[in-house]
Amino acid sequence: MTIAHHLGFPRIGANRQLKWALERYWQGQITQAELYEQGMQIRTENYTQQIKAGLDFLSVGDFSWYDHVLDMSFLLGVIPERFQSPSPDIDTYFRMARGRAPQGEDTFASEMTKWFDTNYHYIVPELSEQQLFTMTHHKLFDEIKEAKSFNKKIKPCIIGPVTYLYLSKVKNPNFNKLSLLKKLQETYLEILTKCREEGIEWVQIEEPILVLELDPAWQKAIKETYDFLQVKDLKLLLTTYFGSLGQNIKLASTLPTAGLHIDAIRGQDQLSEIINLIPQNKILSVGIVDGRNIWRTDLRKALAILKPLHAKIGERLWIGSSCSLLHSPVDLNNETVLEADIKNWLAFAVQKLHEIATLAKAFNEEEASIATELTASDAIVVAKSESTRIHHPLVKKRLKDITSDMTQRKNPYSLRKIIQNSALNLPIFPTTTIGSFPQTQAIRSLRKDLKSGKIDEENYEYEIKKQIAYAIQQQLELDLDVLVHGEAERNDMVEYFGEQLAGFAFTQNGWVQSYGSRCVKPPIIYGDVFREKPMTVKWITYAQTLTTKLVKGMLTGPMTILCWSFVRDDQPREVTAKQIALALRDEVIDLAKNGIKVIQIDEPAFREGLPLKKIYWQDYLQEAVLAFRLTSSGIPDHVQIHTHMCYSEFNDIIEAIANLDADVITIETSRSQMELLKAFETFHYPNDIGPGVYDIHSPCIPTVDEIVALIEKATQFIPITQLWINPDCGLKTREWRETRLALQNMVNAAKMLREKQGVIATEKVR
Ligand code: GLN
Ligand code: ZN
């Protein structure tokens, strides 16, 4: 028998039931019993789908109330002191995740961070130097019992001990976490033993860190751990995903586990090596159905990859998803307005289960048994490759015609700065904001009303313009130097552009969990991207007519659009990046032609796109820089390009950031007290920079003195003539009242500093 399995199913429910139930529970609108009931319904639905598709195992333990890493912490009894209670329960769990729950005192939540290179966020385990581990919570075992009633084989999935430790945090940076491994192994052994007592045969134990470049100490930890974790009659499927095993290939293949799962989507190149390395009696599970993207599997191609493997190891070959399906939307059948041909090209989690089962069937029966599925798959491959919706010769030609001068401003920054100083006429310490102003209920209602047909386009435009005028008026009163239109017309910084660019499709229900009850609905880039008409010019130029001060145009950059979308798998990412860049370039040029002299291209996801393995960083950074420069270089030198990135770790990519050659970069720094700027002691950043002077995520109003102190700190690292004054990020989540107060203090701080410098604000010194 060739086994068909998957690594985990989305837990949000086909209609985001989990989200709604959680939020109601947190607000005290439903009881704990009602919440549990909802969870059970979701799991039942998920198991039913797995049975219907004909998979060999039900995955158990993939359901989570918030996050599966937090579940692991709970199972291991890792509950930091501030959350302790005599009997930790689901409210303790929620307080760890979000600082508050219906029961118990509010306290600050555990840190949350991105799960490898996905957009899923996990709760970082907090360990103490004396950390003890005790098998505590029984959720996993309750779910095992529950799943048994479905009369199918069960495969629990848990995060492995070494990955768990690797991703955890101990306060003291000099403490060696690995010293906790022994104790951790003991508790894992208990958990596994209990699984065996429950009659479990296979456990999926996940060690995704094996796709990273591990140092010898961590490699050794893996080896020791799996030598130790031996439970009689229990088989471990050591599970890796998100990349190839690289230098860990031998280690992973030869560990004493009964099986190994590898990601054959991201790590197809390792298959031939692994098939030779894998010991005689070991199972090799090949993740051939992409858990992270939404394209239908080319079944014939997948079969062609699997056949030689099967010829070599026969039934020791298992067929699975590349990673957990958690990263896919739930069910394509929920899409009722997606155009038929595009819909045909897609597979969400439910459809992926069927693909896995179909591929296994080809080996369990014979290839002819899946003839219908193969023919359908072939037809789609052909239709897709020929589709005029996807392929646009003009876009391809334009890409070919890119020349090096298209990625180069006319003059170097030192010269541009002189030109811009006289064109823009700004004081020292110029003040600006990052783009968005409060997205009020009124603004959101406008969009809803437009969608439902309650108001027409013309009406909508009129109302949005009123919002823009309001934002401009406010900024004039605040006396900011470079104004923005406020982004009232944007629902989301990627969706807004995707909706106007050719090559993008949008689902109604393609939600993917980001964290807890938060889901995102990434656009789908299915075809060649180009701009059909200007996207922002109307709004920005309108804003500019309202004032003689400068209004900054606002665009989302190519890498951010790419990172926050489902991307094509029929061409390299960098090709798609360039297409987006060219489309945005058109917009930049149009803005400039229409008299806009300052244009910001946001790249908050620039760092997020970094590959998991450092060896690929340079390639990525090169592509990312190229895409940005392609977007930003088609304009005369007097036009000033800004970019914005919202994170504070960029020491390791600072050269690439300098290479963007943006005239001004605004970044997050206030929470780290300008710590980030230390990088500038050794690296001379040549262009202008606006280190955020207050944290927009906090409702607190920064005082003038606090802001002055931060800016003065910044002047220790950056020459005054290079400094801009701005908040950390956009203001869309704030209210107008607090926005006004904070910005007033920011402007006053800038004015104070100018006076201190003995220069009058209006004098041209820059
Ligand atoms: N211009 C965007 C805004 O102000 C930037 C958002 C972001 O950095 N994530 O909202
Ligand atoms: Zn930001």
Coordinates of all heavy atoms in Angstrom, one line a residue, residues 433-437 484 486-487 490 493 554-556 560 564 600-605 644-647 666 697 728-733, ligand 1:
T433 N 4.7 62.1 7.5 CA 4.1 60.9 8.0 C 4.3 59.7 7.0 O 4.8 60.0 5.9 CB 2.6 61.0 8.3 OG1 1.9 61.3 7.1 CG2 2.4 62.2 9.3
I434 N 3.9 58.5 7.4 CA 4.2 57.4 6.6 C 3.1 57.1 5.5 O 3.3 56.2 4.6 CB 4.5 56.1 7.5 CG1 5.5 56.5 8.5 CG2 4.9 54.9 6.7 CD1 6.9 56.9 8.0
G435 N 2.0 57.7 5.6 CA 1.1 57.6 4.5 C -0.4 57.5 4.9 O -1.2 58.4 4.5
S436 N -0.7 56.6 5.7 CA -2.2 56.5 6.0 C -2.6 57.3 7.2 O -1.8 57.5 8.1 CB -2.5 55.0 6.3 OG -1.8 54.5 7.4
F437 N -3.8 57.8 7.2 CA -4.4 58.5 8.3 C -5.6 57.6 8.8 O -5.9 56.6 8.1 CB -4.8 59.9 8.0 CG -3.7 60.9 8.2 CD1 -3.1 61.6 7.1 CD2 -3.2 61.1 9.5 CE1 -2.0 62.4 7.3 CE2 -2.1 61.9 9.7 CZ -1.5 62.6 8.6
V484 N 0.6 64.0 3.1 CA 0.2 62.8 2.4 C -1.4 62.9 2.2 O -2.0 63.7 2.9 CB 0.5 61.5 3.2 CG1 2.0 61.3 3.4 CG2 -0.2 61.6 4.6
G486 N -3.4 60.5 2.7 CA -4.1 59.7 3.8 C -4.6 58.3 3.5 O -5.0 57.6 4.4
E487 N -4.6 57.9 2.2 CA -4.9 56.5 1.8 C -6.3 56.1 2.2 O -6.6 54.9 2.3 CB -3.9 55.5 2.4 CG -2.5 55.8 2.0 CD -1.4 54.8 2.6 OE1 -1.8 53.7 2.9 OE2 -0.2 55.1 2.6
R490 N -8.0 53.2 0.3 CA -7.4 51.9 0.3 C -7.9 51.0 1.4 O -7.9 51.4 2.5 CB -5.9 51.9 0.4 CG -5.3 52.8 -0.7 CD -3.8 52.8 -0.7 NE -3.4 53.9 -1.7 CZ -2.2 54.3 -1.9 NH1 -1.2 53.8 -1.3 NH2 -2.0 55.3 -2.8
M493 N -3.1 47.7 1.6 CA -2.0 48.3 0.8 C -1.6 47.4 -0.4 O -1.0 47.8 -1.4 CB -0.8 48.7 1.6 CG -0.1 47.6 2.3 SD 1.2 48.2 3.4 CE 2.4 48.9 2.2
M554 N 2.0 57.9 -2.9 CA 2.1 56.7 -2.0 C 1.8 55.4 -2.7 O 0.7 55.2 -3.2 CB 1.1 56.9 -0.9 CG 1.4 56.1 0.4 SD 3.0 56.6 1.1 CE 2.8 58.3 1.3
L555 N 2.9 54.6 -2.9 CA 2.7 53.3 -3.6 C 3.2 52.1 -2.7 O 4.1 52.3 -1.9 CB 3.5 53.3 -4.9 CG 3.2 54.5 -5.9 CD1 4.2 54.4 -7.0 CD2 1.8 54.3 -6.4
T556 N 2.7 51.0 -3.0 CA 3.2 49.8 -2.4 C 4.3 49.2 -3.3 O 4.0 49.1 -4.5 CB 2.1 48.7 -2.1 OG1 1.1 49.4 -1.3 CG2 2.6 47.5 -1.4
T560 N 6.8 43.8 -1.7 CA 5.7 43.7 -0.8 C 4.5 43.1 -1.4 O 3.8 42.2 -0.9 CB 5.4 45.0 -0.1 OG1 6.6 45.4 0.6 CG2 4.3 45.0 0.9
W564 N 3.1 39.3 -0.2 CA 1.8 39.2 0.4 C 0.7 38.7 -0.6 O -0.5 38.8 -0.3 CB 1.4 40.5 1.0 CG 2.3 40.8 2.2 CD1 3.1 40.0 2.8 CD2 2.4 42.1 2.9 NE1 3.8 40.6 3.8 CE2 3.3 41.9 4.0 CE3 1.7 43.3 2.8 CZ2 3.7 42.9 4.9 CZ3 2.1 44.3 3.7 CH2 3.0 44.1 4.7
Q600 N 6.6 58.0 -2.4 CA 7.1 57.0 -1.5 C 6.7 55.6 -2.0 O 5.5 55.4 -2.4 CB 6.5 57.2 -0.1 CG 6.8 56.1 0.9 CD 6.4 56.6 2.3 OE1 6.7 57.7 2.8 NE2 5.8 55.7 3.1
I601 N 7.6 54.7 -2.0 CA 7.4 53.3 -2.4 C 7.6 52.4 -1.2 O 8.7 52.2 -0.8 CB 8.3 52.9 -3.6 CG1 8.1 53.9 -4.7 CG2 8.0 51.5 -4.0 CD1 9.2 53.9 -5.8
D602 N 6.5 51.9 -0.6 CA 6.6 51.2 0.7 C 7.1 49.8 0.4 O 6.6 49.1 -0.5 CB 5.2 51.0 1.3 CG 4.7 52.4 1.9 OD1 5.6 53.1 2.4 OD2 3.5 52.6 1.8
E603 N 8.1 49.3 1.2 CA 8.5 47.9 1.1 C 8.6 47.3 2.5 O 9.6 46.8 2.9 CB 9.9 47.8 0.4 CG 9.8 47.9 -1.1 CD 9.3 46.7 -1.8 OE1 8.4 46.0 -1.2 OE2 9.6 46.5 -3.0
P604 N 7.5 47.3 3.2 CA 7.5 46.7 4.6 C 7.9 45.2 4.5 O 8.3 44.6 5.5 CB 6.1 46.9 5.1 CG 5.2 47.1 4.0 CD 6.1 47.8 2.9
A605 N 7.7 44.5 3.4 CA 7.9 43.1 3.4 C 9.3 42.7 2.8 O 9.6 41.6 2.5 CB 6.8 42.3 2.6
H644 N 9.7 53.1 2.7 CA 9.4 52.8 4.1 C 9.5 51.4 4.4 O 9.0 50.5 3.7 CB 8.0 53.4 4.5 CG 7.5 52.9 5.8 ND1 8.1 53.3 7.0 CD2 6.6 52.0 6.1 CE1 7.5 52.7 8.0 NE2 6.6 51.9 7.5
M645 N 10.1 51.0 5.5 CA 10.2 49.6 6.0 C 9.8 49.6 7.5 O 10.4 50.4 8.2 CB 11.6 49.1 5.8 CG 11.9 49.1 4.3 SD 13.5 48.4 4.0 CE 13.6 48.6 2.3
C646 N 9.0 48.7 7.9 CA 8.6 48.7 9.3 C 9.1 47.5 10.1 O 8.4 46.6 10.4 CB 7.1 48.9 9.5 SG 6.0 48.1 8.3
Y647 N 10.4 47.5 10.4 CA 10.9 46.6 11.3 C 12.3 47.2 11.7 O 12.8 48.0 11.0 CB 11.1 45.2 10.7 CG 11.6 45.3 9.3 CD1 13.0 45.5 9.0 CD2 10.7 45.1 8.2 CE1 13.4 45.6 7.7 CE2 11.2 45.2 6.9 CZ 12.5 45.4 6.7 OH 12.9 45.5 5.4
T666 N 12.3 55.8 5.5 CA 11.8 55.9 6.9 C 11.6 54.5 7.5 O 11.2 53.6 6.8 CB 10.4 56.6 6.9 OG1 9.5 55.9 6.0 CG2 10.5 58.1 6.4
H697 N 1.9 51.9 17.2 CA 1.1 50.8 17.7 C 0.6 51.0 19.1 O -0.3 50.3 19.6 CB 2.0 49.5 17.7 CG 2.5 49.2 16.3 ND1 3.7 49.6 15.9 CD2 1.9 48.5 15.3 CE1 3.9 49.1 14.7 NE2 2.8 48.5 14.3
D728 N 6.8 56.0 13.3 CA 7.3 54.7 13.0 C 6.6 54.0 11.8 O 7.2 53.3 11.0 CB 7.1 53.7 14.1 CG 8.4 53.5 15.0 OD1 9.4 54.0 14.5 OD2 8.3 52.9 16.0
C729 N 5.3 54.3 11.6 CA 4.6 53.6 10.6 C 3.3 54.4 10.3 O 3.1 55.5 10.8 CB 4.2 52.2 11.0 SG 3.7 51.1 9.7
G730 N 2.4 53.9 9.4 CA 1.2 54.5 9.0 C 0.2 54.6 10.2 O 0.4 53.9 11.2
L731 N -0.7 55.5 10.1 CA -1.6 55.8 11.2 C -3.0 55.3 11.1 O -3.9 55.8 11.7 CB -1.6 57.4 11.4 CG -0.2 57.9 11.8 CD1 -0.1 59.4 11.5 CD2 0.1 57.7 13.3
K732 N -3.2 54.4 10.2 CA -4.6 53.9 9.9 C -5.3 53.3 11.0 O -6.5 53.3 11.1 CB -4.6 53.0 8.6 CG -3.8 51.8 8.7 CD -4.1 50.9 7.5 CE -3.0 49.8 7.4 NZ -2.0 50.2 6.4
T733 N -4.6 52.7 12.0 CA -5.2 52.0 13.1 C -5.5 53.0 14.3 O -6.1 52.6 15.3 CB -4.4 50.9 13.6 OG1 -3.1 51.4 14.0 CG2 -4.2 49.8 12.5
Ligands
GLN1 N1 2.0 53.7 3.6 C1 1.5 52.6 4.5 C2 0.7 53.3 5.6 O1 1.0 54.3 6.0 C3 2.6 51.8 5.0 C4 2.1 50.6 5.8 C5 3.2 49.7 6.3 O2 4.3 50.0 6.4 N2 2.8 48.5 6.6 O3 -0.2 52.7 6.1

